[in-house]
Amino acid sequence: MGKNCDNCFWADSYGAFCVYELNRPSNNFCKMHSSKCECGHKAEYTYNGKLICSDCLLEKFSVERKSFTMTNYYYNGDYLGNDEVLDEVICNLDEDIEKLD
């Protein structure tokens, strides 16, 4: 749980303002406190009045994440291509190489 106006040591006993802000911030936390998402990571956004990190926000909206890995091929330090053109990379190694159909 991150620091916010509800649990801040510096908040006025009446809860109207703190020593850092004249008025209560609309997002319920000021720049003097590190903001953490409920998962424990650093919060980067506010959503529905709560601090939230990008991972939790994407998960909340069921955004699908796909990671892609591309392999690059080199021969004697020269770039030949990547795995998207692997057939060309292999066939260009020697003129006697032919791809089977």
Side-chain angles (χ1 to χ4, degrees):
M1 180 171 164
K3 268 293 188 207
N4 62 46
C5 294
D6 297 327
N7 62 15
C8 179
F9 174 78
W10 298 108
D12 184 359
S13 60
Y14 300 107
F17 60 92
C18 72
V19 296
Y20 296 114
E21 301 282 337
L22 182 60
N23 296 311
R24 177 174 273 223
S26 61
N27 55 7
N28 206 29
F29 70 98
C30 74
K31 62 184 175 277
M32 297 305 294
H33 298 293
S34 64
S35 48
K36 293 205 181 238
C37 179
E38 59 188 30
C39 73
H41 291 111
K42 183 180 180 199
E44 301 161 292
Y45 305 93
T46 58
Y47 179 66
N48 287 336
K50 293 183 178 180
L51 300 171
I52 192 165
C53 69
S54 57
D55 289 338
C56 289
L57 194 55
L58 292 171
E59 183 179 316
K60 184 167 196 62
F61 285 93
S62 300
V63 174
E64 188 175 346
R65 179 181 300 183
K66 292 185 178 183
S67 297
F68 295 96
T69 303
M70 183 172 290
T71 304
N72 295 313
Y73 296 94
Y74 296 85
Y75 182 70
N76 292 333
D78 295 326
Y79 177 74
L80 299 177
N82 57 43
D83 50 1
E84 289 182 343
V85 291
L86 184 57
D87 290 336
E88 290 178 33
V89 169
I90 292 173
C91 288
N92 288 331
L93 291 174
D94 192 294
E95 59 187 42
D96 289 333
I97 299 173
E98 293 181 28
K99 178 154 175 61
L100 297 174
D101 291 328

XYZ file of all heavy atoms in Angstrom:
815
model
N 0.845 -1.177 0.000
C 0.000 0.000 0.000
C 0.884 1.232 0.000
O 1.787 1.357 0.799
C -0.893 -0.039 1.223
C -1.810 1.136 1.333
S -2.964 0.779 2.673
C -3.593 2.375 2.934
N 0.642 2.163 -0.894
C 1.435 3.371 -0.983
C 0.923 4.446 -0.062
O -0.186 4.394 0.464
N 1.765 5.414 0.164
C 1.370 6.558 0.960
C 0.342 7.366 0.203
O 0.457 7.601 -0.982
C 2.574 7.467 1.227
C 3.321 7.185 2.485
C 2.487 7.497 3.677
C 3.328 7.387 4.917
N 2.573 7.069 6.081
N -0.676 7.812 0.892
C -1.647 8.719 0.300
C -2.173 9.630 1.389
O -1.761 9.538 2.543
C -2.764 7.956 -0.421
C -3.559 7.075 0.509
O -3.955 7.472 1.589
N -3.788 5.844 0.080
N -3.077 10.509 1.061
C -3.576 11.488 2.025
C -4.296 10.840 3.204
O -4.358 11.413 4.288
C -4.500 12.488 1.332
S -3.649 13.528 0.146
N -4.822 9.653 3.013
C -5.559 8.997 4.095
C -4.644 8.398 5.159
O -5.048 8.250 6.302
C -6.459 7.901 3.524
C -7.520 8.467 2.603
O -7.982 9.608 2.852
O -7.879 7.781 1.626
N -3.406 8.052 4.785
C -2.515 7.435 5.762
C -1.192 8.194 5.913
O -0.207 7.641 6.376
C -2.254 5.967 5.407
C -1.574 5.804 4.065
O -1.045 6.745 3.488
N -1.597 4.584 3.543
N -1.176 9.474 5.553
C 0.045 10.267 5.580
C 0.306 10.855 6.964
O -0.601 11.384 7.608
C -0.062 11.398 4.549
S 1.378 12.478 4.518
N 1.557 10.771 7.399
C 1.966 11.339 8.677
C 1.820 12.854 8.689
O 1.519 13.454 9.709
C 3.427 10.945 8.958
C 4.001 11.596 10.181
C 3.683 11.113 11.439
C 4.859 12.675 10.080
C 4.213 11.694 12.571
C 5.393 13.272 11.197
C 5.069 12.784 12.457
N 2.042 13.475 7.532
C 2.025 14.934 7.441
C 0.646 15.523 7.186
O 0.481 16.724 7.105
C 2.977 15.398 6.340
C 4.382 15.019 6.635
C 5.102 14.053 6.014
C 5.233 15.554 7.640
N 6.347 13.960 6.563
C 6.461 14.878 7.570
C 5.070 16.558 8.612
C 7.513 15.155 8.409
C 6.131 16.833 9.451
C 7.332 16.138 9.354
N -0.360 14.692 7.097
C -1.713 15.195 6.861
C -2.212 15.944 8.087
O -1.900 15.593 9.226
C -2.656 14.048 6.533
N -2.968 16.965 7.840
C -3.582 17.728 8.912
C -4.539 16.812 9.672
O -5.170 15.930 9.096
C -4.338 18.913 8.298
C -4.937 19.827 9.343
O -4.792 19.550 10.546
O -5.545 20.827 8.938
N -4.653 17.025 10.941
C -5.535 16.172 11.734
C -6.988 16.275 11.283
O -7.788 15.392 11.535
C -5.411 16.521 13.214
O -5.763 17.881 13.421
N -7.312 17.348 10.593
C -8.667 17.488 10.065
C -8.801 16.861 8.679
O -9.885 16.749 8.136
C -9.073 18.969 9.995
C -9.052 19.627 11.342
C -8.056 20.518 11.685
C -10.027 19.331 12.290
C -8.024 21.106 12.932
C -10.007 19.907 13.546
C -9.004 20.797 13.858
O -8.963 21.375 15.081
N -7.673 16.491 8.064
C -7.691 15.843 6.767
C -7.937 16.789 5.607
O -8.113 16.345 4.480
N -7.946 18.090 5.846
C -8.244 19.049 4.788
C -7.034 19.325 3.914
O -7.166 19.567 2.736
C -8.756 20.347 5.385
N -5.833 19.292 4.486
C -4.622 19.563 3.716
C -3.423 19.022 4.491
O -3.544 18.583 5.618
C -4.456 21.064 3.459
C -4.361 21.886 4.716
C -3.129 22.182 5.277
C -5.505 22.358 5.340
C -3.037 22.923 6.439
C -5.424 23.100 6.503
C -4.194 23.380 7.058
N -2.260 19.045 3.833
C -1.044 18.579 4.500
C 0.001 19.680 4.457
O -0.231 20.753 3.909
C -0.537 17.300 3.839
S 0.198 17.534 2.210
N 1.169 19.410 4.988
C 2.218 20.438 5.005
C 2.798 20.677 3.619
O 3.426 21.690 3.387
C 3.352 20.082 5.997
C 2.821 20.043 7.414
C 4.013 18.779 5.636
N 2.583 19.759 2.673
C 3.140 19.907 1.335
C 2.158 20.521 0.342
O 2.543 21.121 -0.634
C 3.604 18.556 0.790
C 4.725 17.957 1.597
C 4.543 16.787 2.317
C 5.976 18.565 1.655
C 5.566 16.242 3.062
C 7.006 18.031 2.395
C 6.791 16.870 3.100
O 7.801 16.343 3.834
N 0.894 20.338 0.560
C -0.127 20.808 -0.371
C -1.124 21.692 0.368
O -1.543 21.375 1.473
C -0.881 19.621 -0.989
C -0.019 18.651 -1.741
C 0.352 19.147 -3.122
O -0.357 19.994 -3.684
O 1.376 18.660 -3.645
N -1.502 22.805 -0.249
C -2.498 23.679 0.350
C -3.865 23.005 0.370
O -4.588 23.050 1.353
C -2.573 24.995 -0.430
C -3.533 26.036 0.097
C -3.157 26.437 1.521
C -3.529 27.266 -0.801
N -4.206 22.345 -0.721
C -5.467 21.612 -0.825
C -5.174 20.136 -1.038
O -4.115 19.772 -1.535
C -6.300 22.130 -2.005
C -6.704 23.567 -1.801
O -7.204 23.938 -0.741
N -6.470 24.394 -2.808
N -6.120 19.339 -0.684
C -5.959 17.893 -0.881
C -5.841 17.605 -2.379
O -6.672 18.033 -3.156
C -7.151 17.154 -0.317
C -7.087 15.642 -0.563
C -8.199 14.940 0.124
N -7.731 14.676 1.470
C -7.910 13.537 2.117
N -8.605 12.588 1.583
N -7.436 13.368 3.314
N -4.816 16.878 -2.799
C -4.660 16.543 -4.222
C -5.840 15.709 -4.716
O -6.359 14.866 -3.982
C -3.362 15.731 -4.265
C -2.656 16.047 -3.002
C -3.714 16.367 -1.998
N -6.230 15.941 -5.953
C -7.388 15.229 -6.496
C -7.157 13.727 -6.593
O -8.081 12.945 -6.511
C -7.746 15.788 -7.871
O -6.671 15.603 -8.768
N -5.899 13.311 -6.773
C -5.603 11.885 -6.895
C -5.242 11.247 -5.558
O -4.831 10.111 -5.501
C -4.502 11.644 -7.914
C -3.245 12.430 -7.607
O -3.134 13.057 -6.560
N -2.300 12.410 -8.524
N -5.377 12.002 -4.468
C -5.205 11.510 -3.101
C -3.764 11.158 -2.722
O -3.534 10.426 -1.784
C -6.123 10.322 -2.834
C -6.453 10.181 -1.354
O -6.486 11.164 -0.611
N -6.688 8.973 -0.918
N -2.786 11.656 -3.477
C -1.391 11.521 -3.064
C -0.595 12.675 -3.657
O -0.909 13.174 -4.728
C -0.792 10.165 -3.451
C -0.575 9.966 -4.922
C 0.671 10.179 -5.476
C -1.605 9.552 -5.743
C 0.873 9.993 -6.827
C -1.405 9.368 -7.093
C -0.166 9.589 -7.638
N 0.430 13.105 -2.935
C 1.237 14.225 -3.415
C 2.590 13.724 -3.910
O 2.958 12.573 -3.700
C 1.410 15.285 -2.334
S 2.558 14.842 -1.019
N 3.337 14.603 -4.538
C 4.620 14.229 -5.131
C 5.693 13.919 -4.093
O 6.751 13.424 -4.427
C 5.086 15.340 -6.060
C 5.332 16.660 -5.374
C 5.699 17.721 -6.380
C 5.822 19.073 -5.725
N 4.586 19.778 -5.540
N 5.433 14.167 -2.835
C 6.430 13.917 -1.797
C 6.510 12.444 -1.410
O 7.421 12.027 -0.737
C 6.113 14.754 -0.548
C 6.173 16.243 -0.807
S 7.753 16.788 -1.500
C 8.849 16.469 -0.142
N 5.559 11.670 -1.817
C 5.537 10.257 -1.442
C 5.734 9.375 -2.660
O 5.257 9.680 -3.740
C 4.200 9.899 -0.784
C 3.949 10.657 0.467
N 4.692 10.494 1.608
C 3.049 11.617 0.741
C 4.255 11.304 2.534
N 3.258 12.012 2.043
N 6.454 8.286 -2.465
C 6.572 7.326 -3.561
C 5.229 6.632 -3.690
O 4.573 6.322 -2.713
C 7.671 6.305 -3.261
O 7.336 5.546 -2.131
N 4.832 6.428 -4.893
C 3.533 5.814 -5.116
C 3.723 4.372 -5.543
O 4.491 4.076 -6.441
C 2.764 6.601 -6.173
O 3.575 6.853 -7.294
N 3.027 3.476 -4.882
C 3.133 2.051 -5.190
C 1.771 1.487 -5.539
O 0.765 1.855 -4.955
C 3.714 1.291 -3.999
C 5.145 1.646 -3.719
C 5.835 0.518 -3.016
C 7.248 0.936 -2.750
N 8.213 0.091 -3.312
N 1.798 0.585 -6.476
C 0.604 -0.163 -6.857
C 0.334 -1.182 -5.761
O 1.226 -1.552 -4.998
C 0.871 -0.854 -8.199
S -0.496 -1.852 -8.827
N -0.879 -1.693 -5.694
C -1.192 -2.697 -4.676
C -0.379 -3.977 -4.856
O -0.227 -4.754 -3.928
C -2.687 -2.998 -4.645
C -3.258 -3.504 -5.936
C -4.764 -3.615 -5.916
O -5.421 -2.842 -5.211
O -5.280 -4.492 -6.618
N 0.188 -4.209 -6.062
C 1.027 -5.388 -6.286
C 2.437 -5.187 -5.739
O 3.216 -6.123 -5.676
C 1.084 -5.734 -7.768
S 2.097 -4.603 -8.750
N 2.776 -3.941 -5.385
C 4.095 -3.652 -4.828
C 5.030 -2.942 -5.784
O 6.040 -2.393 -5.371
N 4.707 -2.946 -7.081
C 5.533 -2.245 -8.056
C 5.237 -0.748 -8.024
O 4.213 -0.323 -7.489
C 5.285 -2.782 -9.475
C 5.784 -4.162 -9.663
N 4.944 -5.236 -9.827
C 7.036 -4.657 -9.704
C 5.650 -6.329 -9.966
N 6.927 -6.017 -9.891
N 6.116 0.033 -8.621
C 5.914 1.473 -8.671
C 4.695 1.802 -9.531
O 4.563 1.330 -10.650
C 7.144 2.156 -9.259
C 7.011 3.655 -9.277
C 8.223 4.318 -9.854
C 7.978 5.819 -9.835
N 8.845 6.522 -10.724
N 3.801 2.617 -8.991
C 2.602 3.025 -9.733
C 2.992 4.068 -10.764
O 3.801 4.947 -10.505
C 1.563 3.581 -8.782
N 2.422 3.942 -11.937
C 2.688 4.879 -13.020
C 1.432 5.632 -13.442
O 1.509 6.599 -14.185
C 3.242 4.113 -14.225
C 4.517 3.369 -13.896
C 4.816 2.269 -14.890
O 4.059 1.280 -14.924
O 5.790 2.420 -15.633
N 0.272 5.178 -12.969
C -1.005 5.754 -13.369
C -1.947 5.797 -12.176
O -1.715 5.153 -11.165
C -1.667 4.904 -14.478
C -0.803 4.696 -15.670
C 0.009 3.571 -15.788
C -0.756 5.636 -16.690
C 0.820 3.376 -16.891
C 0.053 5.451 -17.794
C 0.833 4.320 -17.882
O 1.642 4.137 -18.970
N -3.029 6.536 -12.322
C -4.151 6.433 -11.403
C -5.346 5.983 -12.234
O -5.504 6.373 -13.386
C -4.487 7.774 -10.712
O -4.785 8.754 -11.694
C -3.344 8.236 -9.840
N -6.163 5.131 -11.644
C -7.359 4.644 -12.316
C -8.429 4.445 -11.259
O -8.206 3.754 -10.264
C -7.074 3.331 -13.055
C -8.281 2.770 -13.756
C -8.853 3.438 -14.826
C -8.860 1.591 -13.330
C -9.971 2.940 -15.460
C -9.972 1.079 -13.957
C -10.526 1.761 -15.025
O -11.642 1.273 -15.645
N -9.562 5.081 -11.455
C -10.663 5.041 -10.482
C -10.188 5.428 -9.083
O -10.566 4.825 -8.086
C -11.331 3.664 -10.452
C -12.173 3.406 -11.671
O -12.630 4.336 -12.327
N -12.392 2.140 -11.980
N -9.300 6.436 -9.027
C -8.830 6.940 -7.747
C -7.776 6.096 -7.063
O -7.396 6.370 -5.933
N -7.296 5.054 -7.724
C -6.275 4.182 -7.134
C -4.990 4.266 -7.939
O -5.009 4.465 -9.150
C -6.757 2.731 -7.100
C -7.915 2.509 -6.171
C -8.286 1.038 -6.138
C -9.421 0.812 -5.166
N -9.805 -0.596 -5.106
N -3.871 4.079 -7.255
C -2.569 4.024 -7.905
C -2.405 2.657 -8.537
O -2.758 1.639 -7.939
C -1.456 4.248 -6.876
C -1.503 5.575 -6.139
C -0.491 5.566 -5.009
C -1.230 6.704 -7.090
N -1.867 2.633 -9.760
C -1.752 1.349 -10.460
C -0.539 1.365 -11.392
O -0.208 2.401 -11.970
C -3.061 1.021 -11.216
C -3.081 -0.421 -11.715
C -3.318 2.011 -12.318
C -4.462 -0.898 -12.128
N 0.137 0.238 -11.512
C 1.284 0.122 -12.419
C 0.782 -0.298 -13.807
O -0.365 -0.709 -13.971
C 2.306 -0.883 -11.881
S 1.761 -2.599 -11.893
N 1.653 -0.196 -14.782
C 1.251 -0.511 -16.157
C 0.860 -1.985 -16.306
O -0.100 -2.305 -17.012
C 2.361 -0.149 -17.143
O 3.550 -0.821 -16.813
N 1.576 -2.891 -15.643
C 1.245 -4.312 -15.754
C -0.161 -4.609 -15.227
O -0.932 -5.325 -15.871
C 2.267 -5.167 -15.003
C 3.611 -5.209 -15.674
O 3.678 -4.941 -16.893
O 4.603 -5.519 -14.991
N -0.498 -4.067 -14.076
C -1.819 -4.308 -13.490
C -2.921 -3.638 -14.313
O -4.008 -4.189 -14.457
C -1.868 -3.812 -12.051
S -0.896 -4.822 -10.907
N -2.619 -2.468 -14.863
C -3.606 -1.773 -15.685
C -3.900 -2.553 -16.962
O -5.056 -2.731 -17.346
C -3.107 -0.369 -16.011
C -4.108 0.613 -16.582
C -5.325 0.750 -15.692
C -3.459 1.958 -16.792
N -2.861 -3.064 -17.599
C -3.057 -3.879 -18.800
C -3.827 -5.158 -18.474
O -4.698 -5.583 -19.226
C -1.710 -4.213 -19.446
C -0.964 -3.031 -20.060
C 0.437 -3.453 -20.464
C -1.730 -2.453 -21.230
N -3.514 -5.744 -17.341
C -4.211 -6.964 -16.918
C -5.684 -6.670 -16.625
O -6.562 -7.458 -16.972
C -3.541 -7.532 -15.666
C -4.120 -8.830 -15.187
C -3.403 -9.361 -13.955
O -2.165 -9.330 -13.934
O -4.113 -9.791 -13.028
N -5.960 -5.534 -16.027
C -7.331 -5.151 -15.694
C -8.201 -5.062 -16.946
O -9.369 -5.412 -16.922
C -7.336 -3.826 -14.945
C -8.690 -3.384 -14.473
C -8.546 -2.258 -13.491
C -9.785 -2.008 -12.705
N -10.227 -3.105 -11.863
N -7.614 -4.577 -18.039
C -8.350 -4.456 -19.291
C -8.184 -5.684 -20.187
O -8.598 -5.679 -21.331
C -7.915 -3.196 -20.049
C -8.471 -1.940 -19.456
C -7.754 -1.221 -18.527
C -9.730 -1.491 -19.816
C -8.259 -0.062 -17.964
C -10.255 -0.336 -19.269
C -9.523 0.380 -18.329
N -7.562 -6.729 -19.663
C -7.341 -7.984 -20.394
C -6.608 -7.764 -21.710
O -6.929 -8.362 -22.735
C -8.669 -8.705 -20.659
O -9.300 -9.009 -19.443
N -5.605 -6.891 -21.672
C -4.782 -6.652 -22.853
C -3.815 -7.814 -22.984
O -3.102 -8.157 -22.046
C -4.017 -5.308 -22.749
C -3.056 -5.144 -23.907
C -5.005 -4.154 -22.688
N -3.799 -8.432 -24.144
C -2.938 -9.587 -24.388
C -1.530 -9.114 -24.733
O -1.349 -8.196 -25.519
C -3.512 -10.405 -25.540
C -2.826 -11.708 -25.766
C -3.515 -12.519 -26.850
O -4.640 -12.195 -27.236
O -2.889 -13.478 -27.317
N -0.557 -9.730 -24.119
C 0.841 -9.387 -24.361
C 1.506 -10.554 -25.061
O 1.417 -11.690 -24.612
C 1.542 -9.109 -23.037
C 2.998 -8.767 -23.181
C 3.634 -8.531 -21.852
N 2.955 -7.420 -21.210
C 3.309 -6.927 -20.040
N 4.297 -7.456 -19.383
N 2.664 -5.917 -19.517
N 2.167 -10.263 -26.162
C 2.894 -11.302 -26.891
C 4.333 -10.835 -27.056
O 4.586 -9.705 -27.447
C 2.275 -11.550 -28.264
C 0.909 -12.172 -28.206
C 0.391 -12.503 -29.576
C -0.954 -13.173 -29.475
N -1.466 -13.588 -30.770
N 5.242 -11.714 -26.758
C 6.667 -11.424 -26.926
C 7.174 -12.190 -28.134
O 6.803 -13.345 -28.355
C 7.461 -11.844 -25.698
O 7.050 -11.104 -24.582
N 7.977 -11.540 -28.894
C 8.549 -12.171 -30.068
C 10.064 -12.155 -29.960
O 10.658 -11.171 -29.548
C 8.128 -11.430 -31.351
C 6.664 -11.500 -31.612
C 5.824 -10.482 -31.220
C 6.116 -12.603 -32.241
C 4.469 -10.545 -31.448
C 4.755 -12.683 -32.475
C 3.928 -11.648 -32.074
N 10.673 -13.252 -30.339
C 12.118 -13.351 -30.365
C 12.539 -13.602 -31.800
O 11.990 -14.473 -32.472
C 12.614 -14.504 -29.472
O 12.128 -14.289 -28.153
C 14.112 -14.582 -29.469
N 13.491 -12.833 -32.265
C 13.986 -13.001 -33.622
C 15.457 -13.403 -33.539
O 16.227 -12.815 -32.787
C 13.841 -11.703 -34.423
C 14.291 -11.859 -35.863
S 13.896 -10.426 -36.846
C 12.129 -10.570 -36.934
N 15.823 -14.403 -34.296
C 17.202 -14.862 -34.342
C 17.866 -14.299 -35.593
O 17.314 -14.396 -36.684
C 17.267 -16.404 -34.366
O 16.558 -16.908 -33.229
C 18.702 -16.893 -34.344
N 19.021 -13.685 -35.408
C 19.812 -13.164 -36.526
C 20.960 -14.124 -36.801
O 21.540 -14.696 -35.882
C 20.360 -11.776 -36.201
C 19.251 -10.762 -36.046
O 18.356 -10.690 -36.863
N 19.320 -9.980 -34.992
N 21.305 -14.272 -38.078
C 22.361 -15.197 -38.477
C 23.530 -14.423 -39.087
O 23.336 -13.524 -39.904
C 21.816 -16.221 -39.488
C 20.755 -17.098 -38.878
C 19.406 -16.783 -38.998
C 21.110 -18.231 -38.155
C 18.431 -17.575 -38.418
C 20.135 -19.032 -37.571
C 18.810 -18.695 -37.702
O 17.847 -19.487 -37.121
N 24.741 -14.823 -38.672
C 25.982 -14.195 -39.132
C 26.942 -15.273 -39.603
O 26.983 -16.365 -39.054
C 26.647 -13.398 -37.995
C 25.821 -12.233 -37.520
C 24.823 -12.405 -36.568
C 26.037 -10.954 -38.025
C 24.057 -11.339 -36.136
C 25.278 -9.875 -37.602
C 24.288 -10.078 -36.655
O 23.541 -9.017 -36.235
N 27.739 -14.934 -40.583
C 28.771 -15.842 -41.061
C 30.046 -15.025 -41.228
O 30.068 -14.068 -41.998
C 28.344 -16.476 -42.395
C 29.339 -17.465 -42.953
C 29.544 -18.691 -42.335
C 30.087 -17.162 -44.080
C 30.450 -19.607 -42.838
C 30.999 -18.062 -44.583
C 31.183 -19.282 -43.957
O 32.085 -20.180 -44.463
N 31.074 -15.418 -40.473
C 32.345 -14.669 -40.449
C 32.119 -13.184 -40.164
O 32.732 -12.310 -40.750
C 33.110 -14.829 -41.769
C 33.615 -16.241 -41.974
O 33.858 -16.960 -41.006
N 33.750 -16.648 -43.221
N 31.184 -12.900 -39.279
C 30.897 -11.523 -38.887
C 29.950 -10.778 -39.807
O 29.553 -9.655 -39.515
N 29.589 -11.365 -40.943
C 28.670 -10.712 -41.882
C 27.240 -11.154 -41.603
O 26.966 -12.353 -41.451
C 29.029 -11.065 -43.329
C 30.387 -10.526 -43.747
O 30.757 -9.428 -43.266
O 31.066 -11.206 -44.544
N 26.338 -10.187 -41.577
C 24.934 -10.473 -41.344
C 24.335 -11.142 -42.580
O 24.461 -10.648 -43.692
C 24.182 -9.168 -41.038
C 22.704 -9.337 -40.861
C 22.186 -9.916 -39.712
C 21.820 -8.911 -41.844
C 20.819 -10.069 -39.541
C 20.449 -9.056 -41.684
C 19.948 -9.636 -40.525
O 18.606 -9.784 -40.366
N 23.684 -12.298 -42.366
C 23.073 -13.032 -43.463
C 21.558 -12.826 -43.532
O 20.979 -12.880 -44.599
C 23.352 -14.528 -43.322
C 24.823 -14.952 -43.348
C 24.927 -16.450 -43.119
C 25.466 -14.551 -44.657
N 20.932 -12.609 -42.404
C 19.489 -12.459 -42.347
C 18.976 -12.922 -41.000
O 19.736 -13.197 -40.083
N 17.654 -13.028 -40.903
C 17.059 -13.477 -39.652
C 16.161 -14.685 -39.905
O 16.074 -15.168 -41.030
C 16.280 -12.330 -38.985
C 15.220 -11.767 -39.890
O 14.501 -12.502 -40.548
N 15.111 -10.452 -39.931
N 15.500 -15.159 -38.854
C 14.712 -16.383 -39.002
C 13.468 -16.209 -39.870
O 12.856 -17.189 -40.262
C 14.344 -16.990 -37.643
C 13.729 -16.002 -36.688
O 13.545 -14.832 -37.054
O 13.425 -16.407 -35.547
N 13.118 -14.963 -40.213
C 12.004 -14.757 -41.142
C 12.393 -15.145 -42.573
O 11.536 -15.442 -43.391
C 11.532 -13.303 -41.112
C 10.821 -12.939 -39.824
C 10.321 -11.506 -39.821
O 10.778 -10.694 -40.661
O 9.481 -11.210 -38.969
N 13.679 -15.109 -42.866
C 14.171 -15.445 -44.216
C 15.205 -16.570 -44.128
O 16.178 -16.595 -44.867
C 14.769 -14.193 -44.917
C 13.676 -13.193 -45.246
C 15.861 -13.558 -44.083
N 14.971 -17.511 -43.226
C 15.931 -18.584 -42.971
C 16.235 -19.398 -44.221
O 17.392 -19.763 -44.467
C 15.436 -19.498 -41.852
C 16.379 -20.615 -41.424
C 17.730 -20.047 -40.980
C 15.769 -21.442 -40.323
N 15.217 -19.652 -45.049
C 15.458 -20.407 -46.286
C 16.475 -19.681 -47.170
O 17.385 -20.296 -47.734
C 14.164 -20.625 -47.060
C 13.235 -21.601 -46.367
O 13.725 -22.426 -45.574
O 12.020 -21.525 -46.624
N 16.337 -18.377 -47.294
C 17.287 -17.595 -48.094
C 18.680 -17.619 -47.475
O 19.680 -17.737 -48.193
C 16.812 -16.146 -48.215
C 15.591 -15.966 -49.073
C 15.143 -14.512 -49.102
O 16.003 -13.609 -49.038
O 13.924 -14.290 -49.182
N 18.736 -17.510 -46.151
C 20.027 -17.538 -45.454
C 20.746 -18.841 -45.766
O 21.924 -18.851 -46.135
C 19.838 -17.366 -43.926
C 21.125 -17.670 -43.173
C 19.332 -15.970 -43.601
N 20.051 -19.955 -45.639
C 20.669 -21.271 -45.856
C 21.028 -21.469 -47.326
O 22.143 -21.907 -47.643
C 19.736 -22.393 -45.355
C 19.644 -22.317 -43.827
C 20.226 -23.759 -45.801
C 18.648 -23.246 -43.199
N 20.121 -21.133 -48.229
C 20.384 -21.345 -49.653
C 21.512 -20.448 -50.173
O 22.185 -20.808 -51.144
C 19.105 -21.130 -50.468
S 17.910 -22.469 -50.226
N 21.733 -19.319 -49.559
C 22.800 -18.415 -49.991
C 24.176 -18.800 -49.441
O 25.178 -18.178 -49.796
C 22.479 -16.972 -49.603
C 21.371 -16.386 -50.448
O 21.205 -16.775 -51.612
N 20.605 -15.482 -49.887
N 24.236 -19.821 -48.588
C 25.526 -20.255 -48.058
C 26.381 -20.899 -49.140
O 27.595 -20.751 -49.163
C 25.323 -21.235 -46.900
C 24.734 -20.643 -45.621
C 24.440 -21.748 -44.617
C 25.682 -19.603 -45.017
N 25.735 -21.641 -50.039
C 26.465 -22.314 -51.102
C 25.513 -22.561 -52.257
O 24.333 -22.870 -52.031
C 27.041 -23.642 -50.587
C 28.043 -24.257 -51.555
O 27.625 -24.653 -52.666
O 29.225 -24.331 -51.189
N 26.012 -22.468 -53.474
C 25.137 -22.629 -54.649
C 24.636 -24.039 -54.833
O 23.688 -24.287 -55.565
C 25.854 -22.162 -55.909
C 27.144 -22.917 -56.195
C 27.920 -22.316 -57.344
O 28.026 -21.088 -57.435
O 28.404 -23.120 -58.143
N 25.267 -25.020 -54.147
C 24.839 -26.410 -54.264
C 23.690 -26.772 -53.309
O 23.203 -27.901 -53.341
C 26.017 -27.358 -54.018
C 27.025 -27.318 -55.161
O 26.601 -27.003 -56.302
O 28.207 -27.602 -54.909
N 23.291 -25.827 -52.451
C 22.190 -26.091 -51.512
C 20.868 -25.789 -52.186
O 20.693 -24.727 -52.773
C 22.331 -25.222 -50.225
C 23.633 -25.537 -49.494
C 21.132 -25.426 -49.310
C 23.935 -24.636 -48.336
N 19.966 -26.765 -52.125
C 18.639 -26.581 -52.691
C 17.588 -26.955 -51.646
O 17.757 -27.942 -50.933
C 18.440 -27.452 -53.937
C 19.292 -27.049 -55.108
C 19.049 -27.916 -56.319
O 17.911 -28.444 -56.461
O 19.981 -28.095 -57.105
N 16.556 -26.208 -51.598
C 15.465 -26.486 -50.665
C 14.562 -27.570 -51.241
O 14.218 -27.547 -52.396
C 14.656 -25.230 -50.386
C 13.476 -25.475 -49.466
C 13.097 -24.243 -48.739
C 11.845 -24.418 -47.901
N 11.907 -25.397 -46.871
N 14.178 -28.521 -50.396
C 13.231 -29.551 -50.796
C 11.824 -28.964 -50.768
O 11.500 -28.132 -49.943
C 13.288 -30.735 -49.825
C 14.605 -31.492 -49.764
C 14.555 -32.525 -48.666
C 14.886 -32.157 -51.109
N 11.004 -29.422 -51.694
C 9.616 -28.940 -51.731
C 8.710 -29.798 -50.917
O 8.812 -30.828 -50.540
C 9.104 -28.862 -53.165
C 9.813 -27.740 -53.924
O 10.175 -26.736 -53.295
O 9.989 -27.915 -55.136
